[in-house]
């Protein structure tokens, strides 16, 4: 998988928030083989995360870091946070979030496009957290984004893929654009479904961090992603309305 010209070995991305302990976080990444870690500059810089010690932990994971602008509700907030992240991590990558609705954490489509345009013109490689809206996707691509990150469901809900039709339509409309299903996944089967639909990767956090055994759940998601990708590449059979015998009739014994 290539994202902005960078080859990533794993199609699973994990967030770094909410884990019971730093050891649980590190073990989850080890068992999952995740290739990218997302980090919220606003949240993780707080005192409870021990500041620089947390940054050291993330760097020690040995994976590509994707800072994000989680918690930003305006273009100005998001752009400022992205620039802080670039200085902190020395990377042009940014997962762009501009939240427009407090309850669902749904992106603000107007602010998202505006912020994406500002950041791409400033040299960022933007990963926009968006919905499955085809028109919004087109605007983001026109703003300079080369990757799209449509949600499966609202952040932290674990509801899975709530609009399968919309996601299939989005994937079909832009077949050559790398797409990562981001947010709302709760169990590995949902990740497998996203991969079977042709998405390039999945990103999740809460489903792993809040599991009874985070590292086991992380490994489960890794296997689900791998299974779904293999199924997609194998070109699955088309569903049928009627049964079709899998055992041939020719040569079968008949009893009178």
């Amino acid at each position: 998988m290539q994202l902005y010209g960078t080859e990533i070995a794993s199609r699973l991305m994990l967030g770094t928030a909410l884990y019971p302990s730093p050891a649980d976080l590190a073990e989850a990444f080890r068992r999952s083989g995740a290739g990218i870690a997302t980090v919220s500059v606003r949240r993780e810089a707080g005192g409870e995360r021990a500041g620089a010690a947390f940054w050291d932990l993330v760097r020690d994971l040995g994976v590509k870091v994707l800072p994000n602008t989680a918690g930003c509700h305006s273009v100005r907030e998001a752009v400022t946070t992205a620039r802080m992240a670039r200085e902190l991590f020395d990377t042009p990558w940014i997962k762009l979030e501009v939240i427009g609705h407090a309850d669902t954490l749904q992106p603000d489509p107007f602010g998202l496009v505006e912020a994406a345009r500002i950041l791409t013109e400033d040299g960022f490689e933007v990963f926009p957290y968006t919905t499955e809206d085809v028109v919004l996707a087109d605007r983001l691509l026109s703003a300079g984004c080369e990757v799209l990150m449509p949600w499966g469901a609202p952040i932290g809900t674990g509801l899975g893929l709530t609009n399968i039709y919309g996601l299939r339509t989005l994937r079909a409309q832009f077949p050559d654009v790398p797409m990562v299903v981001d947010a709302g996944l709760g169990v590995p089967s949902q990740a497998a479904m996203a991969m079977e639909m042709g998405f390039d990767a999945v990103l999740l956090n809460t489903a792993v961090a809040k599991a009874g055994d985070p590292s086991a759940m992380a490994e489960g998601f890794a296997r689900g992603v791998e299974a779904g990708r293999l199924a997609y590449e194998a070109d699955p059979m088309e569903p049928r309305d009627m049964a079709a015998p899998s055992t041939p009739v020719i040569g079968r014994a008949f009893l009178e």
Side-chain angles (χ1 to χ4, degrees):
M1 178 176 64
Q2 292 231 349
L3 302 173
Y4 285 105
T6 298
E7 187 171 332
I8 306 296
S10 172
R11 294 178 183 273
L12 175 64
M13 309 179 187
L14 287 181
T16 54
L18 305 175
Y19 288 84
S21 71
D24 286 311
L25 187 159
E27 183 65 6
F29 271 85
R30 186 190 70 79
R31 289 185 63 175
S32 70
I36 293 177
T38 60
V39 179
S40 169
V41 176
R42 292 167 63 92
R43 182 167 57 241
E44 306 296 356
E48 73 177 56
R49 287 295 187 175
F54 180 75
W55 303 133
D56 291 340
L57 173 63
V58 171
R59 291 188 178 98
D60 288 345
L61 295 175
V63 299
K64 181 77 174 177
V65 174
L66 175 61
N68 70 40
T69 63
C72 293
H73 291 259
S74 70
V75 173
R76 182 176 180 181
E77 272 188 300
V79 170
T80 300
T81 302
R83 288 170 174 161
M84 290 171 55
R86 181 167 59 183
E87 292 184 15
L88 184 62
F89 287 103
D90 190 27
T91 178
W93 279 19
I94 192 71
K95 179 190 168 188
L96 178 62
E97 297 183 28
V98 183
I99 302 302
H101 192 270
D103 292 333
T104 63
L105 301 181
Q106 180 170 328
D108 171 359
F110 309 102
L112 185 64
V113 172
E114 182 181 350
R117 182 172 290 109
I118 292 170
L119 291 173
T120 54
E121 290 176 354
D122 195 22
F124 282 89
E125 295 172 344
V126 178
F127 295 67
Y129 166 62
T130 181
T131 65
E132 66 278 11
D133 187 286
V134 172
V135 176
L136 175 54
D138 187 59
R139 296 291 189 275
L140 289 168
L141 295 173
S142 297
C145 299
E146 297 180 13
V147 176
L148 296 174
M149 303 185 79
W151 66 353
I155 295 171
T157 61
L159 292 173
L161 308 180
T162 57
N163 185 359
I164 293 176
Y165 170 79
L167 288 169
R168 288 189 188 279
T169 301
L170 179 66
R171 178 70 283 182
Q173 188 70 29
F174 305 102
D176 299 323
V177 176
M179 291 190 194
V180 181
V181 172
D182 175 17
L185 300 182
V187 289
S189 60
Q190 296 163 353
M193 181 182 294
M195 299 303 294
E196 289 169 5
M197 291 164 60
F199 286 91
D200 298 277
V202 300
L203 192 160
L204 55 129
N205 189 162
T206 309
V208 167
K210 288 297 187 179
D213 185 339
S215 63
M217 185 62 78
E219 183 176 340
F221 267 101
R223 295 185 184 187
V225 167
E226 182 179 2
R229 183 65 186 184
L230 285 172
Y232 171 73
E233 292 176 344
D235 190 15
M237 63 173 283
E238 290 293 328
R240 295 171 54 95
D241 291 329
M242 299 293 292
S246 57
T247 303
V249 174
I250 297 176
R252 188 179 67 180
F254 288 89
L255 300 179
E256 296 184 359

